[in-house]
Amino acid sequence: MSVSVFLRHDFADFSLDVNFGVDAPGITALFGKSGAGKSTIVQAIAGLLRPREGRIEISGQIVLDSAANVFVAPGLRRAGYVFQDARLFPHMSVENNLLFGWRRAAQKASQNEIDHVIDLLDLRALLARRPAKLSGGERGRVALGRALLCSPRLLLLDEPLAALDAARKAEIMPYLERLRDEEKIPMLYVSHALDEVTRLADNLVIVDKGRVTAQGTVFDLMGDIAFARGAGLQAYGAILPARVSAHQDDGLTRLEFSGGALFLARLDCAPGTALRVRIRAEDVMLAREEPMAISANNVLRANIQAVEQIDATHSDVQLVCGTDRLVARITRASLTRLELAPQMDIFAIVKSVTVDPQTGAGLS
């Protein structure tokens, strides 16, 4: 499955000019500030907007080509769309809302596939209810199910959590993760919430003022100080792919990643489980020599790639550990005292490590 997008369109006070591609299943986040043009992009992909100029190809089918006067109607594009406000039909039950998408699908799902979607999103107990009797998170799950039962080649999620409070977001997040991990379908996820996209997305397309300013994996971009500054962010830190190696007798869980091992307070997940590890830049200390008498469990060998001053007091240090990137935020005084410079081998002392909320958190 692949998607390629080239769009140009003018509005009264805004112009869109983007060119990017998605060539793998999973979630690609269109990330940027409100008004950057993210929703306009997914509307054009869905066929809800006909741009001045463009070309869109979904899994080998050209659905838009302004030069050749090709414009495939929205209903024939097989792109499921989930809106911010769910947009369920209030007079229909959950079951009939789900089947509304199924009835209009060009390729109808089998009963087994319908049952799979219902179970995937935990909707069976809700089938007889109407939307007014659902929580915000439940309505969001029904909207996801309705989009999936359109048998889409591509799923478009336009800020699906923006209207929800923190509790409802926490309710629906695990279902989005399950959808990402179990369904082999590319998804474009529009958001301006950094915590959402770093937890859910495999890849990021950064949109700013109608332009794509960066594209890459969430692991590469979030640990890149040059990206963070270019996107107008203070360095977020790093997101690392890791796997549970073992649960130890001392109460710690050992995680393996490309740079070695991390130790956290025991996690409730089986060995072999893949996790995303988050390490904030402020939670990384640096040492020229390996510290021995220290309470921290996580001391990693790393190499300095770059140093960037961020204000009068602090600098960000770009590190590589194995094949993964880390960021340490230290004072300029510490930078000078340790005489830190690019290509220097260093020890990174990680004070705190967190993983996705559903699997718990640990301190080093």
Side-chain angles (χ1 to χ4, degrees):
M1 294 290 185
S2 62
V3 183
S4 63
V5 178
F6 160 63
L7 296 171
R8 285 178 179 158
H9 194 68
D10 300 314
F11 298 92
D13 56 352
F14 176 78
S15 65
L16 183 72
D17 189 345
V18 297
N19 193 346
F20 67 92
V22 177
D23 58 6
I27 296 178
T28 296
L30 297 179
F31 176 75
K33 298 176 182 178
S34 295
K38 307 181 301 296
S39 292
T40 304
I41 293 170
V42 295
Q43 288 167 9
I45 295 170
L48 304 180
L49 168 75
R50 188 164 187 166
R52 169 178 61 83
E53 183 181 356
R55 189 180 189 279
I56 299 173
E57 184 175 332
I58 302 175
S59 299
Q61 181 192 9
I62 298 172
V63 298
L64 169 73
D65 189 337
S66 57
N69 199 30
V70 173
F71 183 83
V72 175
L76 300 177
R77 297 192 179 197
R78 292 184 59 198
Y81 202 120
V82 179
F83 295 90
Q84 182 181 130
D85 54 1
R87 299 194 185 183
L88 302 181
F89 297 107
H91 62 289
M92 291 184 182
S93 66
V94 165
E95 183 174 20
N96 285 329
N97 267 283
L98 292 171
L99 293 179
F100 181 88
W102 174 80
R103 292 189 185 101
R104 285 154 179 78
Q107 298 182 13
K108 288 183 170 54
S110 67
Q111 186 60 53
N112 285 340
E113 290 169 329
I114 293 172
D115 289 338
H116 171 70
V117 169
I118 290 171
D119 293 337
L120 177 73
L121 298 172
D122 198 18
L123 297 174
R124 197 163 296 281
L126 308 177
L127 292 178
R129 296 189 196 175
R130 292 196 174 183
K133 299 295 185 181
L134 302 177
S135 71
E138 289 168 341
R139 286 194 292 272
R141 282 153 49 199
V142 176
L144 281 171
R146 183 175 62 183
L148 285 172
L149 289 178
C150 291
S151 298
R153 297 176 297 186
L154 171 67
L155 198 59
L156 306 170
L157 300 102
D158 192 358
E159 304 230 33
L161 305 184
L164 304 180
D165 60 24
R168 300 289 77 77
K169 286 184 180 182
E171 174 189 333
I172 200 171
M173 272 282 199
Y175 294 98
L176 289 168
E177 290 172 318
R178 186 184 300 176
L179 187 63
R180 175 197 66 201
D181 296 339
E182 297 186 17
E183 298 300 304
K184 302 305 179 184
I185 179 174
M187 291 174 271
L188 285 178
Y189 186 97
V190 172
S191 181
H192 61 269
L194 193 60
D195 285 345
E196 285 180 29
V197 301
T198 55
R199 177 170 168 181
L200 293 172
D202 303 293
N203 296 286
L204 298 180
V205 176
I206 311 302
V207 184
D208 183 41
K209 299 177 182 177
R211 306 293 187 271
V212 171
T213 58
Q215 181 174 3
T217 72
V218 67
F219 306 113
D220 284 341
L221 291 186
M222 293 315 303
D224 184 344
I225 57 176
F227 155 74
R229 294 302 297 273
L233 303 171
Q234 293 290 317
Y236 184 77
I239 309 294
L240 308 180
R243 191 170 298 274
V244 176
S245 173
H247 300 299
Q248 302 183 161
D249 292 339
D250 57 10
L252 298 180
T253 292
R254 177 188 173 101
L255 305 182
E256 299 284 351
F257 78 110
S258 73
L262 291 167
F263 299 88
L264 293 78
R266 186 179 178 91
L267 301 176
D268 185 18
C269 48
T273 301
L275 299 173
R276 293 185 181 207
V277 173
R278 300 152 184 265
I279 301 175
R280 287 170 13 105
E282 292 86 350
D283 289 331
V284 179
M285 299 173 61
L286 299 179
R288 291 282 300 269
E289 299 178 356
E290 184 174 9
M292 304 305 294
I294 189 171
S295 63
N297 293 311
N298 294 310
V299 179
L300 304 172
R301 292 180 180 272
N303 182 266
I304 297 175
Q305 299 292 294
V307 178
E308 184 170 341
Q309 182 178 332
I310 61 169
D311 58 33
T313 305
H314 296 90
S315 292
D316 281 343
V317 181
Q318 179 80 71
L319 306 169
V320 64
C321 187
T323 59
D324 290 305
R325 289 170 168 171
L326 295 177
V327 180
R329 177 163 297 166
I330 63 174
T331 64
R332 293 176 62 197
S334 296
L335 184 75
T336 301
R337 184 176 68 255
L338 294 175
E339 299 181 332
L340 301 181
Q343 306 309 312
M344 179 182 290
D345 290 328
I346 200 78
F347 290 91
I349 300 121
V350 181
K351 296 185 291 181
S352 179
V353 179
T354 61
V355 297
D356 287 345
Q358 79 274 20
T359 52
L363 298 179
S364 63

